[in-house]
Amino acid sequence: MPPDPDVLVVGAGPTGLMLANQLARQGARVRIVDRHAGPARETRALGVQARTLEIYAQLGIAERAVELGKPATGANLWVSGRHVARVPLGDIGRGLSPYPFLLILGQDDNERLLGQRLREQGVEIAWNTELVGLAQEAGRVAVRLRQPDGTVRESGVPWVAGCDGAHSAVRELNGIAFVGAPYQHVFFVADTRSTGPMVPGEVNVFLWPDGFHLFFPLRGADHWRLVGIVPAPLRGRADLDLEDVMPSILHQAGAALSVRSCSWFSTYRIHHRRAERFRDRRCFLLGDAAHIHSPVGAQGMNTGLQDAYNLGWKLGLVATGRAEPALLESYEAERVPVARQLLSTTDRFFSVVVSNQRLAQLLRTRVAPKLLALAMRFERVRRLAFRTISQIGIEYRASPLSETLPGLPAGGPRAGDRFPWIKVARADGAPAEDVYQALDDRGFTLVRVERSGAAPPGGPEPDRPLRTIAIPCGPANDAALARAGLARGADYLVRPDGYIGLCGPRVEPGTVRRYLSERARLTMQPA
């Protein structure tokens, strides 16, 4: 751990680990602390979305994540023990992402992968270390950390990132309100060895008038993560175990369900809350410290990872003196609208899923399953669903970092959009390559789509913050470019996090330099 860190990351869950990794990759000195004794062994988050896997690829851990997890090939919907519909998942995002699926992988596995990558960069986690005091001063944050031996150490650090969950000390010590409320429902989660009517290797959803039970396939034979809603008469009890909720599970899944063993059972209450602000001067909030919501759509952990990826490159550049602090103003501007929209969407959907009103119950158990299965047969619906759930559709068009110059055809990507995934031949006769593999999340990349003919070789410019990738037009690439909406003769300046910052028809070098100086606030410019 560096004696004088640039950034103190509080919390070593997925969000904190991602942020620490990105800061270290930018060359910043990082200290990461957590009040717990070690990583959590049992976790609730299971779904890893395509956008997260795209980021994992930049870290070099995507392949291992896919090996450890199980791509969800389908979701089976059951009502009163009867199979009523199957929603195909599989590769519903084919052509939109190198990872066109939802990966089922526990939060604990995600933490191990991120933690190992962090250690490889020379950063160790300080466990049993708790933030107990914080005061913002001119040019630094004075922090008080309780050490593993119980003593309290005081020190100063330029920046603090609160990745410390729903009960965030960083948020509370800064006096930031956490606006919202809990839902009335109590959830349970259990790791089981089970057999029954569930379709092997796929998600199984058992719908009932007052809620649902979910079976997620995990590694190993008959290994299922079971998530459900505790029946109303049992919600006041503090000593529940799986046996108490089994009657309601059997009532929906049928007598064929057999649970041979349960290695972990826990209950929890879901909240929907958002921090009043995500930044207070030199302190930032990310992940569950900034927003929590219902588990609908497997968005929670992934949203925290996106928070960290968004802030990581900005704070890394500022902490190492390569960008002005004004760049950090874009973190709230970009991530608060995402959290606001996510809370609104998941809240509305969850309210319908658990509503006790007769009409909502009929919709949930009779109409919605068949309608959903029917709708997912259409390519346009599948693509829209994938873009939404996978988080590749998140955009920052209203961000102060987004600038679209006039002249681009309508319908294509704009500044603030994620740069589309595309495979193209970079030279005549060459095989198609994944352009994402040529991007580098430690700096900006200028992607130039040539008007015709072969493209000049691209690559990093020595000692400059800009890399150039040239894509030639022609028979080998025209179809792929058209699908992605990339225009001939257009330039796309891609930010370190894969989003387009500046775009337009053949952007002049002076315009690029102006953007990097005035919008991205970089202090080192290409010649």
Coordinates of all heavy atoms in Angstrom, one line a residue, residues 359-418:
L359 N -56.1 -7.4 -11.0 CA -55.8 -7.2 -12.4 C -54.3 -7.5 -12.6 O -53.9 -8.1 -13.6 CB -56.1 -5.8 -12.8 CG -55.8 -5.5 -14.3 CD1 -56.5 -6.4 -15.3 CD2 -56.2 -4.0 -14.6
A360 N -53.4 -7.0 -11.7 CA -52.0 -7.2 -11.8 C -51.6 -8.7 -11.7 O -50.7 -9.2 -12.3 CB -51.3 -6.4 -10.7
Q361 N -52.3 -9.4 -10.8 CA -52.1 -10.8 -10.6 C -52.4 -11.6 -11.9 O -51.7 -12.5 -12.3 CB -52.9 -11.3 -9.4 CG -52.4 -10.8 -8.1 CD -53.3 -11.3 -6.9 OE1 -54.4 -11.8 -7.2 NE2 -52.8 -11.2 -5.7
L362 N -53.5 -11.2 -12.5 CA -53.9 -11.9 -13.8 C -52.9 -11.6 -14.9 O -52.5 -12.4 -15.6 CB -55.3 -11.5 -14.2 CG -56.5 -12.0 -13.4 CD1 -57.8 -11.4 -13.8 CD2 -56.5 -13.5 -13.5
L363 N -52.5 -10.3 -14.9 CA -51.5 -9.9 -15.9 C -50.2 -10.7 -15.7 O -49.6 -11.2 -16.6 CB -51.2 -8.4 -15.8 CG -50.2 -7.8 -16.7 CD1 -50.6 -8.0 -18.2 CD2 -49.9 -6.4 -16.4
R364 N -49.7 -10.8 -14.4 CA -48.5 -11.5 -14.1 C -48.5 -13.0 -14.4 O -47.5 -13.5 -14.9 CB -48.1 -11.2 -12.6 CG -46.8 -11.8 -12.2 CD -46.4 -11.3 -10.8 NE -47.4 -11.7 -9.8 CZ -48.1 -10.8 -9.1 NH1 -48.1 -9.5 -9.4 NH2 -49.0 -11.2 -8.1
T365 N -49.6 -13.6 -14.1 CA -49.6 -15.1 -14.1 C -50.2 -15.6 -15.4 O -50.0 -16.8 -15.8 CB -50.4 -15.6 -12.9 OG1 -51.7 -15.1 -12.9 CG2 -49.7 -15.3 -11.6
R366 N -51.0 -14.8 -16.1 CA -51.7 -15.3 -17.3 C -51.3 -14.7 -18.6 O -51.1 -15.4 -19.6 CB -53.3 -15.2 -17.1 CG -53.8 -15.8 -15.8 CD -53.6 -17.3 -15.8 NE -54.2 -17.9 -14.6 CZ -54.0 -19.2 -14.3 NH1 -53.3 -20.0 -15.1 NH2 -54.5 -19.6 -13.1
V367 N -51.2 -13.4 -18.6 CA -51.0 -12.6 -19.8 C -49.5 -12.4 -20.1 O -49.0 -12.7 -21.2 CB -51.7 -11.3 -19.8 CG1 -51.5 -10.5 -21.1 CG2 -53.2 -11.5 -19.6
A368 N -48.8 -11.9 -19.2 CA -47.4 -11.5 -19.4 C -46.5 -12.6 -19.9 O -45.7 -12.4 -20.8 CB -46.8 -10.8 -18.1
P369 N -46.5 -13.8 -19.3 CA -45.6 -14.9 -19.8 C -45.7 -15.2 -21.2 O -44.7 -15.2 -22.0 CB -46.0 -16.1 -18.9 CG -46.6 -15.5 -17.7 CD -47.3 -14.3 -18.1
K370 N -47.0 -15.4 -21.7 CA -47.1 -15.7 -23.1 C -46.8 -14.5 -24.0 O -46.3 -14.7 -25.1 CB -48.6 -16.2 -23.3 CG -48.8 -17.5 -22.6 CD -50.3 -18.0 -22.9 CE -50.5 -19.3 -22.2 NZ -51.9 -19.8 -22.4
L371 N -47.2 -13.3 -23.6 CA -46.9 -12.1 -24.4 C -45.4 -11.9 -24.5 O -44.9 -11.5 -25.6 CB -47.6 -10.9 -23.7 CG -47.5 -9.6 -24.5 CD1 -48.3 -9.7 -25.8 CD2 -48.2 -8.5 -23.7
L372 N -44.7 -12.1 -23.4 CA -43.3 -11.9 -23.4 C -42.6 -12.9 -24.4 O -41.7 -12.6 -25.2 CB -42.7 -12.0 -22.0 CG -41.2 -11.9 -21.8 CD1 -40.7 -10.5 -22.3 CD2 -40.8 -12.1 -20.4
A373 N -43.0 -14.2 -24.3 CA -42.4 -15.2 -25.1 C -42.7 -14.9 -26.6 O -41.8 -15.1 -27.5 CB -43.0 -16.6 -24.7
L374 N -43.9 -14.4 -26.9 CA -44.3 -14.1 -28.3 C -43.4 -12.9 -28.8 O -42.9 -12.9 -29.9 CB -45.8 -13.8 -28.4 CG -46.3 -13.3 -29.7 CD1 -46.1 -14.4 -30.8 CD2 -47.7 -12.9 -29.6
A375 N -43.3 -11.9 -28.0 CA -42.6 -10.7 -28.4 C -41.1 -11.0 -28.7 O -40.5 -10.4 -29.6 CB -42.7 -9.6 -27.3
M376 N -40.5 -11.9 -27.9 CA -39.1 -12.1 -28.0 C -38.8 -12.9 -29.3 O -37.6 -13.2 -29.6 CB -38.6 -12.9 -26.8 CG -38.5 -12.0 -25.6 SD -37.3 -10.6 -25.7 CE -35.8 -11.5 -25.5
R377 N -39.8 -13.3 -30.1 CA -39.6 -14.0 -31.3 C -39.1 -13.0 -32.4 O -38.6 -13.4 -33.4 CB -40.8 -14.7 -31.8 CG -41.3 -15.9 -30.9 CD -42.5 -16.5 -31.4 NE -43.0 -17.6 -30.6 CZ -44.2 -18.2 -30.8 NH1 -44.9 -17.9 -31.9 NH2 -44.5 -19.2 -30.0
F378 N -39.4 -11.7 -32.1 CA -39.1 -10.7 -33.1 C -37.7 -10.1 -32.9 O -37.4 -9.7 -31.8 CB -40.2 -9.6 -33.1 CG -41.5 -10.1 -33.4 CD1 -42.4 -10.4 -32.4 CD2 -41.9 -10.2 -34.8 CE1 -43.7 -10.9 -32.8 CE2 -43.2 -10.6 -35.1 CZ -44.1 -11.0 -34.1
E379 N -36.9 -10.0 -34.0 CA -35.6 -9.5 -33.9 C -35.5 -8.1 -33.3 O -34.6 -7.8 -32.4 CB -34.9 -9.5 -35.3 CG -33.5 -9.0 -35.3 CD -32.5 -9.9 -34.7 OE1 -32.8 -11.1 -34.4 OE2 -31.4 -9.4 -34.4
R380 N -36.3 -7.2 -33.7 CA -36.3 -5.8 -33.1 C -36.5 -5.8 -31.6 O -35.9 -5.1 -30.9 CB -37.3 -5.0 -33.9 CG -37.3 -3.5 -33.4 CD -38.2 -2.6 -34.3 NE -37.6 -2.5 -35.6 CZ -38.2 -1.8 -36.6 NH1 -39.3 -1.1 -36.3 NH2 -37.7 -1.8 -37.8
V381 N -37.5 -6.6 -31.2 CA -37.7 -6.6 -29.7 C -36.6 -7.2 -29.0 O -36.2 -6.7 -27.9 CB -39.0 -7.5 -29.5 CG1 -39.2 -7.6 -28.0 CG2 -40.2 -6.8 -30.1
R382 N -36.0 -8.3 -29.5 CA -34.8 -8.9 -28.9 C -33.7 -7.9 -28.7 O -33.0 -7.8 -27.7 CB -34.4 -10.2 -29.6 CG -35.3 -11.3 -29.5 CD -34.6 -12.6 -29.9 NE -34.1 -12.6 -31.2 CZ -34.8 -13.0 -32.3 NH1 -36.0 -13.4 -32.2 NH2 -34.2 -13.0 -33.5
R383 N -33.4 -7.2 -29.8 CA -32.3 -6.2 -29.8 C -32.6 -5.1 -28.8 O -31.7 -4.7 -28.1 CB -32.1 -5.6 -31.2 CG -31.5 -6.7 -32.2 CD -31.5 -6.1 -33.6 NE -30.5 -5.1 -33.8 CZ -29.2 -5.3 -34.1 NH1 -28.8 -6.5 -34.3 NH2 -28.4 -4.3 -34.3
L384 N -33.8 -4.6 -28.8 CA -34.1 -3.6 -27.8 C -34.0 -4.1 -26.4 O -33.5 -3.4 -25.5 CB -35.6 -3.1 -28.1 CG -36.1 -2.0 -27.1 CD1 -35.2 -0.8 -27.1 CD2 -37.5 -1.7 -27.4
A385 N -34.5 -5.3 -26.1 CA -34.4 -5.9 -24.8 C -32.9 -6.0 -24.4 O -32.6 -5.7 -23.2 CB -35.1 -7.2 -24.7
F386 N -32.1 -6.5 -25.3 CA -30.7 -6.7 -25.0 C -30.0 -5.4 -24.7 O -29.2 -5.3 -23.7 CB -30.0 -7.5 -26.1 CG -28.6 -7.7 -25.8 CD1 -28.2 -8.8 -25.0 CD2 -27.6 -6.9 -26.4 CE1 -26.8 -9.0 -24.7 CE2 -26.2 -7.2 -26.1 CZ -25.9 -8.2 -25.3
R387 N -30.2 -4.4 -25.5 CA -29.6 -3.1 -25.3 C -30.0 -2.5 -24.0 O -29.1 -1.9 -23.3 CB -30.0 -2.1 -26.5 CG -29.4 -2.4 -27.8 CD -29.8 -1.4 -28.8 NE -29.4 -0.1 -28.5 CZ -28.2 0.4 -28.7 NH1 -27.3 -0.3 -29.3 NH2 -27.9 1.6 -28.4
T388 N -31.2 -2.7 -23.5 CA -31.6 -2.2 -22.3 C -31.0 -2.9 -21.1 O -30.4 -2.4 -20.2 CB -33.2 -2.2 -22.2 OG1 -33.7 -1.4 -23.3 CG2 -33.6 -1.6 -20.9
I389 N -31.2 -4.3 -21.1 CA -30.8 -5.1 -19.9 C -29.3 -5.2 -19.8 O -28.7 -5.2 -18.8 CB -31.5 -6.4 -20.0 CG1 -33.0 -6.3 -19.9 CG2 -30.9 -7.4 -18.9 CD1 -33.7 -7.6 -20.1
S390 N -28.6 -5.3 -21.0 CA -27.2 -5.5 -21.0 C -26.4 -4.2 -20.7 O -25.2 -4.2 -20.4 CB -26.7 -5.9 -22.4 OG -26.9 -4.9 -23.3
Q391 N -27.1 -3.0 -20.6 CA -26.5 -1.7 -20.3 C -25.7 -1.2 -21.5 O -25.0 -0.1 -21.3 CB -25.7 -1.7 -19.0 CG -26.6 -2.1 -17.8 CD -26.0 -1.8 -16.5 OE1 -24.8 -1.6 -16.4 NE2 -26.8 -1.9 -15.4
I392 N -25.7 -1.8 -22.6 CA -24.9 -1.2 -23.7 C -25.7 0.0 -24.3 O -25.1 0.8 -25.1 CB -24.6 -2.2 -24.8 CG1 -25.9 -2.7 -25.6 CG2 -23.8 -3.4 -24.3 CD1 -25.6 -3.5 -26.8
G393 N -26.9 0.1 -24.0 CA -27.7 1.2 -24.5 C -27.7 2.5 -23.7 O -28.2 3.5 -24.1
I394 N -26.9 2.5 -22.6 CA -26.8 3.7 -21.8 C -26.0 4.7 -22.6 O -25.0 4.4 -23.2 CB -26.0 3.4 -20.5 CG1 -26.9 2.5 -19.5 CG2 -25.6 4.7 -19.7 CD1 -26.2 2.0 -18.3
E395 N -26.5 6.0 -22.5 CA -25.8 7.1 -23.3 C -25.7 8.3 -22.5 O -26.4 8.5 -21.5 CB -26.6 7.3 -24.6 CG -28.1 7.6 -24.4 CD -28.5 9.0 -24.1 OE1 -27.6 9.9 -24.1 OE2 -29.7 9.2 -23.8
Y396 N -24.7 9.1 -22.9 CA -24.4 10.4 -22.2 C -24.4 11.5 -23.1 O -23.6 12.4 -23.1 CB -23.0 10.3 -21.5 CG -22.7 9.1 -20.6 CD1 -21.5 8.4 -20.8 CD2 -23.6 8.8 -19.6 CE1 -21.3 7.3 -19.9 CE2 -23.3 7.7 -18.8 CZ -22.2 7.0 -19.0 OH -21.9 5.9 -18.1
R397 N -25.4 11.6 -24.0 CA -25.5 12.6 -25.0 C -25.6 14.0 -24.4 O -25.1 15.0 -25.0 CB -26.7 12.4 -26.0 CG -26.5 11.1 -26.8 CD -27.5 11.1 -27.9 NE -27.3 9.9 -28.8 CZ -28.0 9.7 -29.9 NH1 -29.0 10.5 -30.3 NH2 -27.8 8.6 -30.7
A398 N -26.2 14.2 -23.2 CA -26.3 15.5 -22.6 C -25.1 15.9 -21.8 O -25.1 16.9 -21.1 CB -27.6 15.5 -21.8
S399 N -24.1 15.0 -21.8 CA -22.9 15.3 -20.9 C -22.1 16.5 -21.4 O -22.0 16.7 -22.7 CB -22.0 14.0 -20.9 OG -20.7 14.3 -20.4
P400 N -21.4 17.2 -20.6 CA -20.5 18.2 -21.0 C -19.3 17.7 -21.8 O -18.6 18.5 -22.4 CB -20.0 18.9 -19.7 CG -20.3 17.8 -18.6 CD -21.5 17.1 -19.1
L401 N -19.1 16.4 -21.8 CA -18.0 15.8 -22.5 C -18.4 15.4 -23.9 O -17.6 14.8 -24.7 CB -17.5 14.5 -21.8 CG -16.8 14.8 -20.4 CD1 -16.3 13.4 -19.9 CD2 -15.8 15.8 -20.4
S402 N -19.7 15.6 -24.3 CA -20.2 15.1 -25.6 C -20.3 16.2 -26.6 O -21.0 17.2 -26.3 CB -21.5 14.4 -25.4 OG -21.4 13.3 -24.5
E403 N -19.7 16.1 -27.8 CA -19.8 17.1 -28.8 C -19.9 16.4 -30.2 O -19.0 15.7 -30.6 CB -18.6 18.0 -28.8 CG -18.6 19.1 -29.9 CD -17.4 20.0 -29.8 OE1 -16.5 19.8 -28.9 OE2 -17.3 20.9 -30.7
T404 N -21.1 16.6 -30.8 CA -21.3 16.1 -32.1 C -21.3 17.2 -33.1 O -22.1 18.2 -33.0 CB -22.7 15.3 -32.2 OG1 -22.7 14.3 -31.3 CG2 -23.0 14.8 -33.6
L405 N -20.4 17.1 -34.1 CA -20.3 18.2 -35.1 C -21.4 18.0 -36.2 O -21.8 16.8 -36.4 CB -18.9 18.2 -35.7 CG -17.8 18.4 -34.7 CD1 -16.4 18.3 -35.4 CD2 -17.9 19.7 -34.0
P406 N -21.8 19.0 -36.8 CA -22.9 18.8 -37.9 C -22.3 18.1 -39.1 O -21.1 18.1 -39.4 CB -23.2 20.3 -38.2 CG -22.1 21.1 -37.8 CD -21.5 20.4 -36.6
G407 N -23.2 17.4 -39.8 CA -22.8 16.8 -41.0 C -22.9 15.3 -41.0 O -22.8 14.6 -42.1
L408 N -23.1 14.6 -39.9 CA -23.2 13.2 -39.8 C -24.6 12.7 -40.3 O -25.6 13.4 -39.9 CB -22.9 12.6 -38.4 CG -21.5 12.7 -37.9 CD1 -21.4 12.1 -36.5 CD2 -20.6 11.8 -38.9
P409 N -24.7 11.6 -41.0 CA -26.1 11.1 -41.3 C -26.9 10.8 -40.1 O -26.4 10.4 -39.1 CB -25.8 9.9 -42.2 CG -24.3 10.0 -42.5 CD -23.7 10.8 -41.5
A410 N -28.2 10.9 -40.2 CA -29.1 10.6 -39.1 C -29.1 9.1 -38.9 O -28.9 8.3 -39.8 CB -30.5 11.1 -39.5
G411 N -29.3 8.8 -37.6 CA -29.5 7.4 -37.2 C -28.2 6.7 -36.8 O -28.3 5.6 -36.2
G412 N -27.1 7.3 -37.0 CA -25.8 6.7 -36.5 C -25.5 7.1 -35.1 O -26.1 7.9 -34.5
P413 N -24.4 6.5 -34.6 CA -24.0 6.9 -33.2 C -23.5 8.3 -33.1 O -23.0 8.9 -34.1 CB -22.8 5.9 -33.0 CG -22.3 5.5 -34.3 CD -23.5 5.5 -35.2
R414 N -23.8 8.9 -32.0 CA -23.5 10.3 -31.7 C -22.6 10.4 -30.5 O -22.4 9.4 -29.7 CB -24.8 11.1 -31.4 CG -25.7 11.2 -32.6 CD -25.0 12.1 -33.7 NE -25.9 12.4 -34.8 CZ -26.0 11.7 -35.9 NH1 -25.2 10.6 -36.1 NH2 -26.7 12.1 -36.9
A415 N -22.0 11.5 -30.2 CA -21.2 11.8 -29.0 C -22.1 11.5 -27.8 O -23.2 11.9 -27.7 CB -20.7 13.2 -29.0
G416 N -21.5 10.7 -26.9 CA -22.3 10.3 -25.7 C -22.7 8.8 -25.8 O -23.1 8.2 -24.8
D417 N -22.7 8.3 -27.0 CA -23.1 6.9 -27.2 C -21.9 6.0 -27.0 O -20.7 6.4 -27.3 CB -23.6 6.6 -28.6 CG -25.0 7.3 -28.8 OD1 -25.6 7.8 -27.9 OD2 -25.4 7.4 -30.0
R418 N -22.1 4.8 -26.6 CA -21.1 3.7 -26.5 C -20.6 3.5 -28.0 O -21.5 3.4 -28.9 CB -21.6 2.5 -25.9 CG -20.8 1.2 -26.2 CD -21.6 0.0 -25.6 NE -21.2 -1.3 -26.1 CZ -21.7 -1.8 -27.2 NH1 -22.6 -1.2 -28.0 NH2 -21.4 -3.1 -27.6

